[in-house]
Amino acid sequence: MKRIIALLLTAALLAAVGSGCTPDPSESGEKGNDPMKNTLDTVGYFVFRSVSEKQLDFYKAAGYNLLEYCDLSWFYNPDSDAYALYQQEQAANIRLAKQKGFKVYVILLSTLEQWTGPADSGNGGGKAFDPADSEKMATRLGYIRQVVGAFKEADGFSLFAGDPGGVLGIKAEGGLQYYIQMSRDVRQIVKEVAPHAEFNMNLWAVSQFIQEEVDPSTLAFWQGEDRNGRTIIAEDDLLSADIGIEITGSDYYRPLAMQLYAAYDARPATNFPNENDVKAIQAKGTTRYWGFGHGLAPDCQDNLRLNTTRIKYYVDQMRAAGMNGAVCGNVSYFGNYLDVYAFARFASDPTLTVDQLFLEYAALLTETESDAATLAELLKYLNNMDAHNQNLPAEYDLPRLETIFTDTRTASQKAYRLTPNTETDFPFPEEPMYYLARVQGRLFAAIRPENAEPAAAMLWDFDKAGAQKAPDGTAGIAQLTMLAGGSYTLIEQKIQPAVDAGNYGRYGYLHLSVYSEKEQTVRGYIMLGSDASKFGIDQFWYYDFSGALHLHEGWNHLAIETVFGGDNGTNGINWGHLEQFRVLFFCEKQEGHKLWLDNLYISNYEEHKLP
């Protein structure tokens, strides 16, 4: 703890030169408010699916006090065992979270048809019905009543407006009044079935209740988000001490909204919500008015796409507007732990700068003060690389963080020198060395493979057999020597695809043999990737492996096998797009210890046979 305090004092000095990264609120269409005078009493995380006890401990340590679990009961046939099992497991998740000290809400989706087909589950991402169909609405409200009963131990319920829901994907006129009335009806259900529980209206994608505004790729959708939200606030006899509200605040962070505003020269006169909006909410007697920054912690295949400066900006704007809570989260959980941590810390401490946050987190991950300072600089560099910062119109972009790194190659070389903290008491969901591996991989991925020669890595080629003999007597693919002062080594190779890019939706198969002089455990990542210059986007797929090398014919051996790819890139990379291969190893035994790799085989899954 003393080391962290010392590092934060250093960060405070750095912050004095101006890298807090939050523009004047007046630049975002606001008159401004002092964020320091407002508190965010509720700091929440949106949990799309259940999470482990280890992740709960992480959320709690970061500073979250609310979890919002999304109900997926509509996905299951109510007559199936799967429906009952899902609700039993989710009820157990709610109880566990409450035991850990969290307040727990359940998010209910609006106009979704219940799956009643022959299979246990269906409806994909949700099938909406026309809210004007009174029979279907009554059926949906009946199922919501059952769900509230199943999860009545929850502290509250929140009704999502759209995405999925509303009139999305159907030919129905819709209308905002249908969401308003449904909210009144669900609030009454909660009163009757779980009278202790609170109820919120959640305005996420509220435009999707109106057919003309249903498409988020249009300006009308985003303008509707603001207008419809203000209409709901002004509605008589709706918001009250009995009904709270959660507002997305898209104007502050959604890239597509900002791009459309700029393209049509239609920037809002005032962002939503602002201080006047919050005063109008307070006048209704409402005690819960939270920002709902869904998607602020980026959902990315490569697990490390930082959005930290935007998170700081969003939290500051919610506080400045006078909101008394803020929630973040994402549909998928790929381990973007830093931004999840950052949201809670910024919400809890209005004085914390981005520089200080990075140094604080780096001190938890690394063994020395020097490594913590280096990692903090690397995190700033990664944040500056982030797509959210690079693809916004100039008037919406946030200032880059000042960092000692000016090029990716130098940053990549420094990343391989970091030593993970193996004795941290902080409840990370993954060991620090794995997070450092992803920092290394993310930086390494930004260097074009044909030019990549990091100082701490060994470059090898499929066509050039290693001079060392592998344990089976054949020429080894590569010999790896563990690095002094680190517990990793990395190999990288550019690959010529065996099939053309038209063979897109195919699975691939990978096999790799690892040999060692000593019996030990090896952990690491395999990363497969494609090249943006050919396919329009960098795609990466990670395979996390762990295994013991046991004695086999005089050598310690581990065979690694995995399948990758699938239809439309659902697992990150497909056989037809494969152009890069990287392996990152972590070994118990270091100091000059050697590994050999052999029998590397990558092929189309349907045709795979080991040579």
Side-chain angles (χ1 to χ4, degrees), residues 8 33 86 118 133 193 214 227 232 284 294 372 378 413 432 465 467 481 550 599:
L8 291 178
N33 187 1
Y86 165 74
D133 188 325
V193 180
V214 77
R227 183 182 60 257
I232 286 172
K284 300 281 187 175
H294 183 28
L378 292 171
Q413 292 170 349
T481 301
H550 295 300
N599 295 331

Short mmCIF file of all heavy atoms in Angstrom, two decimals, residues 8 33 86 118 133 193 214 227 232 284 294 372 378 413 432 465 467 481 550 599:
data_model
loop_
_atom_site.label_atom_id
_atom_site.label_comp_id
_atom_site.label_asym_id
_atom_site.label_seq_id
_atom_site.Cartn_x
_atom_site.Cartn_y
_atom_site.Cartn_z
N LEU A 8 1.18 7.23 -6.44
CA LEU A 8 0.10 8.18 -6.71
C LEU A 8 0.54 9.62 -6.48
O LEU A 8 0.09 10.53 -7.16
CB LEU A 8 -1.11 7.85 -5.83
CG LEU A 8 -1.83 6.54 -6.20
CD1 LEU A 8 -2.98 6.30 -5.24
CD2 LEU A 8 -2.34 6.59 -7.62
N ASN A 33 -21.03 22.43 -14.70
CA ASN A 33 -21.37 22.31 -13.30
C ASN A 33 -20.13 21.77 -12.63
O ASN A 33 -19.34 21.08 -13.26
CB ASN A 33 -22.57 21.37 -13.14
CG ASN A 33 -23.11 21.33 -11.72
OD1 ASN A 33 -22.61 22.03 -10.83
ND2 ASN A 33 -24.13 20.53 -11.51
N TYR A 86 -32.54 -22.30 -15.41
CA TYR A 86 -31.99 -20.95 -15.58
C TYR A 86 -32.41 -20.06 -14.43
O TYR A 86 -31.58 -19.34 -13.85
CB TYR A 86 -32.44 -20.35 -16.91
CG TYR A 86 -32.20 -18.86 -16.97
CD1 TYR A 86 -30.92 -18.34 -17.13
CD2 TYR A 86 -33.26 -17.96 -16.78
CE1 TYR A 86 -30.69 -16.98 -17.13
CE2 TYR A 86 -33.03 -16.59 -16.79
CZ TYR A 86 -31.74 -16.11 -16.96
OH TYR A 86 -31.52 -14.75 -16.94
N PRO A 118 -40.44 -26.10 -29.97
CA PRO A 118 -40.16 -27.47 -29.50
C PRO A 118 -38.84 -27.61 -28.76
O PRO A 118 -38.70 -28.47 -27.90
CB PRO A 118 -40.18 -28.29 -30.79
CG PRO A 118 -39.88 -27.29 -31.88
CD PRO A 118 -40.49 -26.01 -31.44
N ASP A 133 -50.68 -4.83 -29.82
CA ASP A 133 -51.39 -6.11 -29.70
C ASP A 133 -51.63 -6.38 -28.22
O ASP A 133 -50.74 -6.84 -27.49
CB ASP A 133 -50.55 -7.21 -30.33
CG ASP A 133 -51.29 -8.54 -30.43
OD1 ASP A 133 -52.09 -8.85 -29.52
OD2 ASP A 133 -51.04 -9.29 -31.39
N VAL A 193 -45.95 -8.29 -6.37
CA VAL A 193 -45.22 -9.55 -6.23
C VAL A 193 -43.99 -9.41 -5.34
O VAL A 193 -43.65 -10.32 -4.57
CB VAL A 193 -44.82 -10.09 -7.61
CG1 VAL A 193 -44.06 -11.42 -7.48
CG2 VAL A 193 -46.05 -10.27 -8.50
N VAL A 214 -36.32 3.80 -35.30
CA VAL A 214 -35.89 2.50 -34.76
C VAL A 214 -34.44 2.16 -35.11
O VAL A 214 -33.79 1.38 -34.41
CB VAL A 214 -36.85 1.40 -35.26
CG1 VAL A 214 -36.56 1.05 -36.72
CG2 VAL A 214 -36.79 0.17 -34.37
N ARG A 227 -35.01 13.48 -27.24
CA ARG A 227 -36.37 14.03 -27.20
C ARG A 227 -37.32 13.12 -26.41
O ARG A 227 -38.11 13.59 -25.57
CB ARG A 227 -36.90 14.22 -28.63
CG ARG A 227 -38.28 14.86 -28.68
CD ARG A 227 -38.80 14.99 -30.10
NE ARG A 227 -38.90 13.70 -30.77
CZ ARG A 227 -38.03 13.26 -31.67
NH1 ARG A 227 -36.98 13.98 -32.02
NH2 ARG A 227 -38.19 12.08 -32.24
N ILE A 232 -40.50 11.72 -21.46
CA ILE A 232 -40.80 10.85 -20.32
C ILE A 232 -40.64 11.60 -19.00
O ILE A 232 -41.46 11.47 -18.09
CB ILE A 232 -39.89 9.60 -20.37
CG1 ILE A 232 -40.37 8.67 -21.47
CG2 ILE A 232 -39.85 8.88 -19.02
CD1 ILE A 232 -39.44 7.51 -21.75
N LYS A 284 -39.88 15.89 -9.61
CA LYS A 284 -40.90 14.86 -9.59
C LYS A 284 -40.87 14.03 -8.30
O LYS A 284 -41.72 13.18 -8.09
CB LYS A 284 -40.71 13.92 -10.79
CG LYS A 284 -40.79 14.60 -12.14
CD LYS A 284 -42.22 14.85 -12.55
CE LYS A 284 -42.31 15.37 -13.98
NZ LYS A 284 -43.70 15.51 -14.42
N HIS A 294 -23.97 1.86 -21.01
CA HIS A 294 -23.81 0.52 -21.59
C HIS A 294 -22.81 0.57 -22.73
O HIS A 294 -22.91 1.38 -23.63
CB HIS A 294 -25.17 0.05 -22.10
CG HIS A 294 -25.17 -1.34 -22.65
ND1 HIS A 294 -24.29 -2.31 -22.23
CD2 HIS A 294 -25.96 -1.93 -23.57
CE1 HIS A 294 -24.54 -3.43 -22.88
NE2 HIS A 294 -25.55 -3.22 -23.70
N ALA A 372 5.90 -0.49 -12.55
CA ALA A 372 4.59 0.14 -12.46
C ALA A 372 4.57 1.43 -13.28
O ALA A 372 3.61 1.71 -14.00
CB ALA A 372 4.23 0.42 -11.01
N LEU A 378 2.67 2.60 -20.74
CA LEU A 378 2.17 1.73 -21.81
C LEU A 378 0.65 1.77 -21.89
O LEU A 378 0.08 1.75 -22.99
CB LEU A 378 2.64 0.28 -21.56
CG LEU A 378 4.13 0.02 -21.71
CD1 LEU A 378 4.48 -1.38 -21.22
CD2 LEU A 378 4.57 0.19 -23.16
N GLN A 413 8.78 -3.37 -27.06
CA GLN A 413 10.01 -3.88 -26.45
C GLN A 413 10.01 -3.68 -24.94
O GLN A 413 10.42 -4.56 -24.18
CB GLN A 413 11.21 -3.17 -27.09
CG GLN A 413 11.43 -3.55 -28.55
CD GLN A 413 12.46 -2.68 -29.24
OE1 GLN A 413 12.89 -1.67 -28.69
NE2 GLN A 413 12.86 -3.07 -30.44
N PRO A 432 -1.95 -11.52 -12.64
CA PRO A 432 -1.32 -10.36 -13.30
C PRO A 432 -0.52 -10.71 -14.53
O PRO A 432 -0.49 -9.95 -15.49
CB PRO A 432 -0.45 -9.77 -12.19
CG PRO A 432 -1.19 -10.09 -10.94
CD PRO A 432 -1.76 -11.47 -11.17
N ALA A 465 13.80 -24.82 -40.72
CA ALA A 465 13.86 -25.65 -39.53
C ALA A 465 14.98 -25.17 -38.63
O ALA A 465 16.04 -24.74 -39.09
CB ALA A 465 14.12 -27.11 -39.92
N ALA A 467 18.06 -25.06 -36.05
CA ALA A 467 19.31 -25.82 -36.04
C ALA A 467 19.31 -26.87 -34.94
O ALA A 467 19.96 -27.90 -35.05
CB ALA A 467 20.49 -24.87 -35.85
N THR A 481 14.41 -19.87 -25.29
CA THR A 481 15.18 -19.74 -24.06
C THR A 481 14.47 -18.74 -23.15
O THR A 481 14.18 -17.62 -23.57
CB THR A 481 16.61 -19.25 -24.35
OG1 THR A 481 17.24 -20.19 -25.23
CG2 THR A 481 17.40 -19.13 -23.06
N HIS A 550 4.91 -33.56 -18.89
CA HIS A 550 5.26 -34.78 -18.17
C HIS A 550 6.25 -35.62 -18.99
O HIS A 550 6.29 -35.53 -20.22
CB HIS A 550 4.01 -35.61 -17.85
CG HIS A 550 3.07 -34.92 -16.92
ND1 HIS A 550 3.44 -34.53 -15.65
CD2 HIS A 550 1.78 -34.54 -17.07
CE1 HIS A 550 2.42 -33.95 -15.06
NE2 HIS A 550 1.40 -33.94 -15.90
N ASN A 599 6.12 -30.15 -34.40
CA ASN A 599 4.85 -30.65 -34.90
C ASN A 599 3.76 -29.59 -34.90
O ASN A 599 2.61 -29.85 -34.54
CB ASN A 599 4.37 -31.86 -34.08
CG ASN A 599 5.29 -33.04 -34.24
OD1 ASN A 599 5.94 -33.20 -35.28
ND2 ASN A 599 5.39 -33.87 -33.21
#
